[in-house]
Amino acid sequence: MKIKSLDIFFIFFVLILFLLGTWQIIRLNHKNNLIENLEKNLKKNSINFNPEINKEYTKVLLKKKSLKPEVFLYNLNEGEIGFKVIVPYEVNNSLVVLIDKGWVKKNKINEIKKTSFNDDVIEGFTQKIKAKALFTPENSSKEDFAYFIDINFLKKNLNKNIYPLLIIQTSKTNKDIVVNNFQIHLSNNHLQYAITWYGLALVTIIFFLYYRKKVK
């Protein structure tokens, strides 16, 4: 009776592992299709920006608007300390869109602070504004940069609504700023997860067969 119960447990356990692996394969196919569609979006011609655009990785053109003070985000680029340059652009009397103009070295940041960005037309693509990560420090008023984009703070500080997507600028800007590339940043580790679950299922089956051979 004990052996029969153990058989059932092993079969159930292997089935769960197999289902988890299969689910990751389904997720892998879904993510690959999503990335393929987003890459197609980035190959399309840019469209004029309007606040109704709500999809990520849509290529847009934004004509110059009134500028607000820059916001600098702490960032690392290949191990070198620097800052992401985020500039709020007024879309209308009540809405601001945040432009990620690129990355600048720490020793160039004072020059960037004095810069008046005169891009007549900005080209880029839309992307979600990342929420604060678990281990990201809180922003501090004692520092002249931020660790993450705090939408609520910006709404209050600028006294305007914030467009919910960030525009990643890919057109050239200030000479000291490393321009962004057309890149899709989506994690896609489902194949590794599937291999892990299927591998555990295989090891469990081998162990079970070995155990059954021993108890006979």
Side-chain angles (χ1 to χ4, degrees), residues 104-121:
V104 64
K105 292 182 179 180
K106 183 180 180 180
N107 62 1
K108 295 289 185 180
I109 199 65
N110 288 328
E111 296 175 28
I112 295 298
K113 288 180 180 180
K114 301 173 185 176
T115 300
S116 295
F117 294 101
N118 296 315
D119 316 59
D120 291 328
V121 177

Side-chain angles (χ1 to χ4, degrees), residues 172-186:
K172 289 185 178 180
T173 181
N174 184 281
K175 62 181 177 62
D176 292 319
I177 295 177
V178 179
V179 180
N180 299 297
N181 295 319
F182 282 110
Q183 291 182 337
I184 296 175
H185 300 284
L186 292 179

Side-chain angles (χ1 to χ4, degrees), residues 64-92:
K64 182 182 175 183
K65 301 288 182 180
S66 299
L67 298 181
K68 294 291 182 180
E70 302 90 59
V71 178
F72 299 97
L73 294 187
Y74 175 83
N75 193 33
L76 291 176
N77 186 26
E78 296 181 355
E80 188 174 6
I81 297 176
F83 297 84
K84 274 287 192 177
V85 182
I86 308 295
V87 179
Y89 277 49
E90 288 185 337
V91 175
N92 53 46

Side-chain angles (χ1 to χ4, degrees), residues 10-27:
F10 271 109
I11 292 171
F12 178 75
F13 187 67
V14 169
L15 179 61
I16 292 297
L17 293 175
F18 180 79
L19 289 175
L20 288 171
T22 303
W23 169 244
Q24 290 299 328
I25 292 296
I26 294 171
R27 292 287 296 149

Side-chain angles (χ1 to χ4, degrees), residues 138-155:
E138 294 290 342
N139 294 335
S140 172
S141 59
K142 296 179 181 179
E143 297 172 310
D144 61 353
F145 60 87
Y147 292 99
F148 67 97
I149 298 176
D150 187 337
I151 297 297
N152 292 328
F153 171 80
L154 289 176
K155 285 176 68 174

Side-chain angles (χ1 to χ4, degrees), residues 49-51 60-71 85-102 115-124 129 154 158-174 177:
F49 172 82
N50 73 76
V60 295
L61 290 172
L62 179 68
K63 294 182 179 179
K64 182 182 175 183
K65 301 288 182 180
S66 299
L67 298 181
K68 294 291 182 180
E70 302 90 59
V71 178
V85 182
I86 308 295
V87 179
Y89 277 49
E90 288 185 337
V91 175
N92 53 46
N93 291 332
S94 62
L95 185 66
V96 159
V97 59
L98 302 177
I99 309 294
D100 176 347
K101 303 188 79 66
T115 300
S116 295
F117 294 101
N118 296 315
D119 316 59
D120 291 328
V121 177
I122 289 171
E123 183 174 26
I129 298 175
L154 289 176
L158 299 173
N159 196 28
K160 291 183 184 291
N161 292 320
I162 307 296
Y163 176 66
L165 298 176
L166 189 66
I167 293 184
I168 310 298
Q169 182 172 344
T170 53
S171 53
K172 289 185 178 180
T173 181
N174 184 281
I177 295 177

